[in-house]
Amino acid sequence: MKDGYMKFVHSGAGRVIAKTLGLPIPAKLRRKGAPSTLGPVLIGGGELTGLLQSQVAELGYQLGSTPKQKVHALVFDATSIKTPGELANLYRFFRQNIRRMDRCGRALVISRPPEDCDSPEQHIAMRALRGFIRSLGKEMRAGGTSQLIELSAGAEQNLPSTLSFCLSPVSAYVSAQTIRVNAVELAETADPKAPLAGQTVLVTGAARGIGRAIAETVASYGAMVIGVDVPPMQGELDKVCRDIGGRALPLDICADDAAALICEAARANGGLDCIVHNAGITRDKSLAAMSDVQWDLTMAVNLQAPLTINAALLEAGLINDGGRIVGVASISGIAGNKGQTNYAASKAGVIGMVERYSSVLSAQSISVNAVAPGFIETEMTAKIPFGIRQAGRRMSSLQQGGLPVDVAQTVAWLANPQSIGVTGNVVRVCGQNLLGA
Ligand SMILES: NC(=O)c1ccc[n+]([C@@H]2O[C@H](COP(=O)([O-])OP(=O)(O)OC[C@H]3O[C@@H](n4cnc5c(N)ncnc54)[C@H](O)[C@@H]3O)[C@@H](O)[C@H]2O)c1
């Protein structure tokens, strides 16, 4: 679905009218593949500055800049801040440099998880950063984003995949997120261009929309994809899987034999390295008017099926050590939404799955995370009435809907074996939507 308003305000006359009337002019986001080189990265702050410089340089970014040069990113190491008073160092760094940011710039703060801090003062200072980063996200201009990475002590080697995601155009529609990175032993460094080479990734709901984008994106990073979708979608599913050299597995994830068939496919491929529970449905109705079928079906597809499939795979040992489980929640599961008691409950349940299983499965070094998309341009959101659809797009800091590829790139980062230290996170892909903010 095209965003006609966006097209209009980027036309000559449309821009003049929008400016005159004070209407929003959403920035054109820079996404992966855009033909432009990114400017330098400025790094400031505490003890990890040297390490950050070498990791950022390793990712291919230029460090430092001339005073008049636009910068792509500002990165501040706040791990050395011990008291709320010392937050002034962070303030000064961003205050001095924020106007120098290029379009689609990145503001990034590295901190410690508050609950890991020994002193109350440091705990409080680290907690304060979450408010800072959320407000900064709302002040970023021209498609800029901000993120907070809470890095556990000793997790420095786990940082690069997340640093790479946050700095790069692949995180175009992710903003104001707090991402926790733990210390977990890493497998050998993969080819950065094909971090998923040799990995088997199963994606449910892969025939269209976000699931299709996830299948295509993880395949583009080298994964062998097993795509699942309902039998009536087999034509579309076969095409997606054929195009990416994957394998189609047409089945309804709620069917009695679904978990057994998925286990069979996983076994035939040496187990799964990653499963992405993307298949989802809406059956919107106010609670008073909702039928049992609308409630039951939504809960069955969105929540019960992922739980049943996970249990079967784990019991059979078919999620390989170091594997990743990625759920697809929704901001509706965070904020709630009128007419979506069933959907919001199912998606909040997906968040519960992340909370519970991330700690249970850490012993096997299996990470469990979810993405929570906001308004993404798909056939699901094309069904929303016109006025609500327009409001849904504009009610975010980036003032526009996201694309399936934005969710897919976020999933690909969580599916990367080098991201195994990222677990227990629910990462919103919503352009900092005001819902549940
Ligand atoms: N589009 C958005 O704005 C948005 C926002 C938040 C969350 N989400 C979530 O993202 C996921 C994908 O959404 P989308 O917009 O691409 O939806 P979509 O309707 O375009 O695609 C969903 C896919 O899942 C498949 N599917 C549905 N039930 C299934 C079942 N029982 N077994 C196997 N496959 C099944 C469908 O056939 C379809 O191919 C869903 O979980 C959705 O709740 C979407």
Side-chain angles (χ1 to χ4, degrees):
M1 168 71 55
K2 289 261 179 309
D3 181 349
Y5 175 82
M6 178 94 171
K7 202 169 165 215
F8 172 69
V9 295
H10 281 280
S11 68
R15 180 175 285 271
V16 174
I17 292 170
K19 275 193 172 164
T20 312
L21 297 176
L23 297 173
I25 306 180
K28 286 187 180 169
L29 300 185
R30 180 185 267 151
R31 292 188 165 87
K32 186 170 188 261
S36 59
T37 42
L38 300 177
V41 176
L42 288 191
I43 300 175
E47 288 161 14
L48 295 185
T49 305
L51 176 96
L52 287 171
Q53 282 171 337
S54 60
Q55 291 190 352
V56 169
E58 186 92 354
L59 292 171
Y61 292 94
Q62 184 197 327
L63 297 174
S65 68
T66 56
K68 293 221 167 120
Q69 200 176 4
K70 289 268 187 205
V71 297
H72 167 61
L74 300 176
V75 179
F76 188 86
D77 167 29
T79 60
S80 305
I81 289 178
K82 297 283 185 279
T83 64
E86 289 170 23
L87 290 169
N89 298 333
L90 160 102
Y91 152 74
R92 284 193 197 94
F93 174 76
F94 282 101
R95 171 78 181 78
Q96 267 168 20
N97 296 304
I98 197 80
R99 286 182 206 266
R100 300 178 54 198
M101 292 205 92
D102 203 352
R103 58 175 284 269
C104 300
R106 299 284 187 259
L108 197 54
V109 175
I110 319 293
S111 68
R112 294 291 186 211
E115 57 279 17
D116 289 1
C117 298
D118 289 334
S119 82
E121 289 80 6
Q122 193 183 23
H123 178 130
I124 293 162
M126 293 298 108
R127 185 63 186 78
L129 292 168
R130 296 186 192 168
F132 175 82
I133 220 68
R134 287 190 187 128
S135 288
L136 190 57
K138 292 184 179 182
E139 290 188 17
M140 295 293 285
R141 292 177 181 210
T145 64
S146 66
Q147 324 287 353
L148 176 65
I149 301 178
E150 294 183 346
L151 185 70
S152 296
E156 287 73 16
Q157 86 282 5
N158 296 98
L159 184 57
S161 77
T162 298
L163 206 51
S164 170
F165 174 73
C166 292
L167 290 176
S168 140
V170 295
S171 59
Y173 199 60
V174 178
S175 191
Q177 297 306 290
T178 298
I179 299 158
R180 175 77 179 262
V181 179
N182 296 330
V184 180
E185 206 169 312
L186 286 179
E188 233 167 82
T189 316
D191 172 358
K193 290 214 173 80
L196 291 167
Q199 304 275 304
T200 303
V201 180
L202 187 139
V203 182
T204 67
R208 70 174 201 192
I210 293 171
R212 175 185 172 167
I214 294 170
E216 290 169 349
T217 303
V218 295
S220 77
Y221 291 123
M224 202 294 283
V225 173
I226 302 173
V228 171
D229 213 300
V230 286
M233 294 293 283
Q234 185 168 358
E236 288 88 336
L237 181 68
D238 282 344
K239 180 167 182 344
V240 172
C241 293
R242 202 171 41 244
D243 289 351
I244 60 175
R247 182 179 159 201
L249 185 59
L251 56 82
D252 180 337
I253 55 170
C254 300
D256 289 343
D257 59 352
L261 291 171
I262 285 176
C263 284
E264 200 179 298
R267 198 172 288 112
N269 286 281
L272 300 182
D273 298 296
C274 179
I275 179 161
V276 185
H277 294 290
N278 161 78
I281 58 166
T282 49
R283 292 291 182 273
D284 295 358
K285 226 17 164 206
S286 67
L287 182 64
M290 190 172 292
S291 69
D292 290 358
V293 172
Q294 285 168 325
W295 176 270
D296 292 344
L297 203 57
T298 307
M299 293 302 279
V301 176
N302 296 0
L303 184 57
Q304 192 52 57
L307 295 177
T308 305
I309 293 165
N310 285 346
L313 285 166
L314 289 165
E315 199 188 313
L318 288 168
I319 298 191
N320 298 333
D321 279 0
R324 283 83 59 205
I325 297 173
V326 184
V328 177
S330 163
I331 57 167
S332 179
I334 296 169
N337 217 1
K338 197 172 163 190
Q340 289 199 323
T341 49
N342 52 356
Y343 184 74
S346 70
K347 294 299 187 178
V350 170
I351 295 171
M353 176 185 91
V354 171
E355 286 168 0
R356 184 73 192 182
Y357 285 99
S358 56
S359 53
V360 173
L361 295 176
S362 63
Q364 293 165 59
S365 293
I366 293 174
S367 71
V368 188
N369 296 286
V371 289
F375 187 101
I376 305 296
E377 306 281 356
T378 65
E379 289 181 43
M380 190 186 260
T381 46
K383 287 188 210 141
I384 299 173
F386 177 79
I388 302 174
R389 196 162 68 227
Q390 283 303 331
R393 286 175 175 138
R394 262 16 102 197
M395 269 186 358
S396 70
S397 296
L398 293 173
Q399 301 176 319
Q400 59 195 285
L403 301 181
V405 71
D406 298 326
V407 183
Q409 291 287 1
T410 310
V411 169
W413 154 60
L414 297 170
N416 182 341
Q418 299 296 307
S419 301
I420 192 70
V422 181
T423 190
N425 288 266
V426 176
V427 180
R428 294 172 54 146
V429 187
C430 66
Q432 199 179 15
N433 196 293
L434 302 184
L435 281 185

